Amino acid sequence: ESPVKIEVRSVSAKVGGESTHARLDLSAILPSVVTSPAKVDGLTLTLHSDAFDLRNRAGPVSGTVSVDKVGLDNPTIAPLIAGKVTAALNARLSADAVAIDSGTLKSDALSSQVAGQVSLRDGAIDLNLKADAPSSALPAAARGMLGDRAQISATLKREPNGNLNIGGLKLTSGPLSADGQASLADNKVAADIRGALSDISRLSKDATGAIAFALSAQGPAMAPDLSLT
């Protein structure tokens, strides 16, 4: 039995013009997509290009995806994609890479943007990410220090060997601000985060003032050594 079940209502594909400069219009309506970790209801997909080189699989593309509901058994991610989810992308496709000029992902809770480069040859990734989300959708352990919403930005790089690097990480939310970087290589994590909390009464009602902190993590990804000062 297939691990993915797809219900198809309609699929449309239109191609016009010369093969080296073709106009493409693709669309699909999928009432249901079921995989082992998730169920998607009401998926609508569109893809368009005014000048696509069919032989070399290259050219500008734009697309949208909308989903009425995502069912996901993950208490951390599920609140971020509650309600209707929409995504849009403007990119340039070549035989071995996708250059993302702009991309967005929005839900009732989340608003995010992405731009950068994805290699189709070796899996390398170089992306700039930004996100804005309500604190109520984030893990409960962090909410006490946050404002109503949290803004996060970072760069994400994946090397061909699978190593990950997160740089330029910035978080701002109410009285909390933090910045830093992190990496995962050979199943070992290295992270350094610095920040400040301008109102420590968020931690204890009897406390006043502000604090600065530094957090570092080094070692195996599943059990790194942590240091907080």
Side-chain angles (χ1 to χ4, degrees):
E1 185 178 0
S2 172
V4 180
K5 296 181 179 179
I6 301 176
E7 180 184 346
V8 179
R9 177 176 298 168
S10 66
V11 176
S12 173
K14 297 179 181 179
V15 181
E18 298 181 4
S19 62
T20 58
H21 204 77
R23 177 184 175 90
L24 297 181
D25 283 292
L26 309 176
S27 64
I29 298 176
L30 309 177
S32 175
V33 179
V34 180
T35 68
S36 55
K39 182 178 186 295
V40 174
D41 293 325
L43 187 150
T44 301
L45 168 70
T46 66
L47 187 66
H48 171 79
S49 178
D50 284 323
F52 198 78
D53 186 337
L54 297 174
R55 174 177 294 180
N56 295 311
R57 295 177 297 171
V61 293
S62 61
T64 62
V65 177
S66 67
V67 174
D68 291 336
K69 181 181 179 182
V70 179
L72 183 65
D73 188 18
N74 185 311
T76 300
I77 299 176
L80 296 174
I81 53 175
K84 188 177 182 68
V85 179
T86 60
L89 179 72
N90 289 290
R92 289 165 286 121
L93 180 66
S94 65
D96 57 5
V98 178
I100 302 171
D101 296 321
S102 65
T104 61
L105 176 66
K106 297 182 179 180
S107 68
D108 288 352
L110 178 69
S111 176
S112 63
Q113 298 85 43
V114 61
Q117 188 94 3
V118 178
S119 172
L120 302 177
R121 185 182 300 276
D122 57 20
I125 296 173
D126 189 350
L127 299 176
N128 294 312
L129 307 170
K130 293 183 179 180
D132 180 283
S135 301
S136 59
L138 300 177
R143 294 174 195 165
M145 296 185 293
L146 304 178
D148 292 336
R149 299 190 68 85
Q151 294 78 40
I152 303 171
S153 62
T155 61
L156 172 64
K157 294 185 178 183
R158 181 189 185 276
E159 299 174 4
N161 60 8
N163 292 345
L164 295 175
N165 289 279
I166 298 174
L169 176 63
K170 293 185 178 181
L171 166 67
T172 57
S173 180
L176 177 68
S177 61
D179 62 80
Q181 58 189 13
S183 65
L184 177 64
D186 300 325
N187 205 33
K188 293 183 179 180
V189 66
D192 290 290
I193 307 294
R194 300 164 301 279
L197 185 64
S198 62
D199 179 9
I200 62 173
S201 66
R202 297 294 188 100
L203 300 177
S204 173
K205 293 182 179 180
D206 297 328
T208 59
I211 59 170
F213 63 88
L215 172 67
S216 67
Q218 303 283 337
M222 298 302 294
D225 294 327
L226 300 177
S227 174
L228 177 63
T229 57

